[in-house]
Amino acid sequence: LFKKPGETDYSPLMLLPGVVFLYICRSSPELLGPVLSVSALLCIAAIGGLATMSTANSGCKFGMVGVFGALVATFASLPAGVVAMATPLMLVGGGLGLVWGMKVSPIALP
């Protein structure tokens, strides 16, 4: 959406921080707090990045990594029963959001 013509796309590299967050949350539960703090800072950086068109692509990616890190850390700290109950609800909500999102063009958003 925010890619300029002729610009190289490094989007797949943004999977690396997500994999690191996932690994840390699974292997070191004592580091859930720092993962949440870094995720919050990434979300704040995303808001700053979305402020101008020249940095919007980076801001979008920072936001995605920040939200992913927060979700992983939150789910890693929940009991198994709560995760089992929340997972189907998230799948249904995600499916509905996907269907609704396919109907609306990002350009048409206010």
Side-chain angles (χ1 to χ4, degrees):
L1 177 65
F2 298 114
K3 188 177 170 201
K4 297 177 216 159
E7 189 176 72
T8 306
D9 186 22
Y10 296 105
S11 294
L13 292 178
M14 293 307 289
L15 289 173
L16 293 175
V19 170
V20 169
F21 282 156
L22 186 61
Y23 176 75
I24 289 172
C25 289
R26 296 295 296 162
S27 64
S28 304
E30 67 274 4
L31 293 178
L32 291 178
V35 169
L36 285 170
S37 297
V38 170
S39 296
L41 291 173
L42 283 169
C43 289
I44 292 168
I47 293 169
L50 289 171
T52 64
M53 191 63 165
S54 62
T55 59
N57 195 13
S58 298
C60 183
K61 288 176 178 58
F62 285 157
M64 289 188 286
V65 172
V67 169
F68 178 77
L71 280 172
V72 168
T74 300
F75 265 78
S77 66
L78 294 175
V82 174
V83 172
M85 183 175 56
T87 300
L89 294 172
M90 287 184 64
L91 289 173
V92 168
L96 290 172
L98 182 65
V99 169
W100 189 267
M102 292 295 201
K103 294 179 181 179
V104 178
S105 168
I107 304 300
L109 295 174

